[in-house]
Amino acid sequence: MTGLTAELVVDGRAPQAPALAPNGRLLCYVLAPSSRTGDHLDTELWLVDTHASVAPRRATADTATESQPRWSADSETLFFLSDRADRGTPQLHGLTLADGTTTTLTNWSAGVIDHLPLLDPNLVALLAEDEPTEQDARRARDRDDAIVVGEGEPRARLRLLDLRTGRVATPKVFGDRHVVEMRQRPDGGPLAVLTWASADNDYGPRTGHLHLYDPTTGTAEDLGPAEVDARSLAWWPDEDGWHLGYVALTPPVLQAGTAVFDLAVDSRVLRNRTAGLAMCPTELCQTNAAPLVVFADGLNTTLARLDRTDLTTLSHHPGRLDNPTITPAGDTIAVLTGARYQTPNVHIGAPTGPLRRITNTRPELDGITFGTQQPLAYRAADGLDLDGLLVLPVGRTASEGPFPLVTIVHGGPYDRYADRCQLFWFPSAQWLAAAGYAVLLPNQRGGQGHGHQFAASVAGRVGQQEWTDVLTGIDLLIDEGIADPDRLGIAGWSHGGFMSAWAIGQTDRFRAALVGAGIVDWGMLAGTGENGQFEAALGGSTGWSGIGPHPHDALSPISFASRIRTPVLILHGAEDTNVPLGQAVYLHRALRHFDVEHEFVMYPREGHSIRERNHQLDVLRRTRAWFDRWLRP
């Protein structure tokens, strides 16, 4: 029996972006390593026959970053992006199944961001930024390249590739708006196009607009504004004409549960089709008829059909269903999903279930013994129903406790723990369970999977009831004899890092903490993070809200730094733009000022997620060593 090693965690390969051919006979997926060793992530395209019991075969042979496989309407050509010719600059390629030849279809110097094969077999819609001009090249060469914010900012624009001529045309539509997503009507009619006023994540998602574009006539029509953070466009026909749906945040606040919005194109009537549900839509799946909706439903997932007046539940699935792809007929769906002790793979079947696995990309884990994982259901101090997961030390039962307990709080906060395999490069349950720890994974309020109100309840109140929700779960495990009250640790990444930093300023119950890419000052994050106004909704105010103290001061861990006595491990990517490095520096300086035991580690070249292999290995080993140092007898 092989033991779990850090190398086993970070050296695996995972399937991504499954794409079903319209006829349902073939599926393509991207096989991507969990970490990279150089400047580029080398990925591969693989094909699997969905109707035969044969092993998947690799579709391409180049060393490149390959992504976004999409099929032609006749299922005869696979389109995809690859940077095989110029690393870091993706171009559109086409693989013809009949003869196995791959053709480079674009040579756009700025690279192609996204693509959509149209029902017209001669056209592919592209998203790409403008190519650099001679003046741009000269300014870069001469280092005369001052950046004026708001001027000349990169924009993704809609472009049309004519496969007969190889010519890329750029329709003069949508002004200077940034194109985010496009979806063609299933009868071959116009494209629904979602745009933002800017590519800036702080501003763009709040300025969504919907348009129609007819590739035949070159004309565009304005459908009006979309709800905040709209995505996942889908068309369907109804008695009153065509409808266009999308997933977006429920108004009016920016920290909210998602909803499915249904726009009747002719009348412009917009409806929230999922209001009041105790689950959260994550994806819309377009078919030739009624679309399917994937719902985060507590620890699990529900698949439903959006009928004319109601939702029809089709199936329930343990854990998560990610990256759904469906045939136009709506009879076959493929997703990424796994199980408690199996990492995600491609599964396929009817939407009514069951789904069968058709890939096995992590056979090296088959001999690993994992810690027993079990769902938790309990109530918060105010009676709110909560859930989460408990992972026991490998080879141990609950009756053998109490164990040292590490609580890992999820990020987001609009995220969740699902009942799936908890093995990742960041502080993860199975990695710690292999070292003898019990691990609590709580789904506190503010997260996904329990409806809009559950998610919105933390807006302007982070660290309040969501923190007592976490404490309730810890106390439950102490009362049941599973957790040792004298050997408690807490950890988290991003918003989970905030909760870890918050916890140690509120109590001295924890003997060790890990703050990964965590927020310590909400006003600072609103002013410098890439999602500023969304962060302001969580913290409740900004630094420009007048003379302080501000509401966010009372919700910022840095305000309670003088109370911290718990040893802290701080981990942060040096180039993080989501939660900038300054947050970690701020905490480090405060802990140094108050003479608190801590270790501060920065990872060069890394953003909000750690991607390089050696850095991922360091995170895993350093995490375990830190808790061993403080929680072991």
Side-chain angles (χ1 to χ4, degrees), residues 359-377:
T359 65
N360 182 18
T361 60
R362 296 297 307 273
E364 68 274 17
L365 294 178
D366 290 347
I368 299 297
T369 300
F370 290 108
T372 299
Q373 178 173 306
Q374 59 192 61
L376 295 175

Side-chain angles (χ1 to χ4, degrees), residues 383-547:
L384 181 68
D385 288 331
L386 300 171
D387 59 36
L389 297 170
L390 169 66
V391 178
L392 293 170
V394 172
R396 308 294 292 275
T397 65
S399 62
E400 297 177 75
F403 307 106
L405 176 77
V406 177
T407 299
I408 307 176
V409 187
H410 67 66
Y414 192 61
D415 201 348
R416 63 167 177 152
Y417 284 116
D419 196 5
R420 60 170 179 162
C421 186
Q422 299 295 326
L423 184 66
F424 314 100
W425 63 263
F426 50 84
S428 57
Q430 291 294 352
W431 175 245
L432 289 172
Y437 295 95
V439 182
L440 170 63
L441 306 174
N443 281 327
Q444 69 279 2
R445 71 191 75 196
Q448 185 185 59
H450 295 279
H452 166 61
Q453 292 302 326
F454 185 90
S457 64
V458 303
R461 296 188 292 275
V462 286
Q464 305 303 297
Q465 287 175 301
E466 63 173 330
W467 167 232
T468 58
D469 291 349
V470 173
L471 275 181
T472 299
I474 295 171
D475 289 338
L476 171 68
L477 297 182
I478 292 173
D479 291 343
E480 293 182 349
I482 295 171
D484 184 342
D486 295 323
R487 291 189 291 164
L488 300 178
I490 190 163
W493 204 270
S494 193
H495 191 82
F498 154 72
M499 288 293 289
S500 183
W502 177 261
I504 57 179
Q506 308 303 309
T507 178
D508 59 2
R509 294 177 63 181
F510 297 100
R511 291 185 59 185
L514 185 154
V515 177
I519 301 100
V520 300
D521 188 300
W522 287 102
M524 183 177 171
L525 187 64
T528 61
E530 64 185 30
N531 303 300
Q533 289 304 302
F534 294 87
E535 312 296 3
L538 290 168
S541 60
T542 63
W544 55 83
S545 300
I547 298 174

Side-chain angles (χ1 to χ4, degrees), residues 87 126 171 176 240 318 339 350-351 378 552 573 607 612:
R87 298 308 303 268
L126 307 175
D176 199 36
D240 59 346
Y378 52 101
H552 69 256
E612 294 187 20

Side-chain angles (χ1 to χ4, degrees), residues 306-322:
L306 190 67
D307 290 321
R308 183 169 180 268
T309 59
D310 205 354
L311 280 164
T312 300
T313 297
L314 301 177
S315 54
H316 300 285
H317 304 268
R320 294 175 61 122
L321 300 184
D322 292 318

Side-chain angles (χ1 to χ4, degrees), residues 575-586:
E575 298 181 14
D576 191 344
T577 56
N578 187 319
V579 179
L581 180 64
Q583 296 278 333
V585 173
Y586 203 175

Side-chain angles (χ1 to χ4, degrees), residues 183 231-234 236 244-247 260-261 282-286 291-294 306 324:
R183 182 77 61 215
R231 58 181 178 79
S232 197
L233 302 176
W236 66 93
L244 177 62
Y246 57 88
V247 175
V260 171
F261 291 91
T282 61
E283 298 281 349
L284 268 177
C285 307
Q286 178 172 301
L292 271 59
V293 189
V294 180
L306 190 67

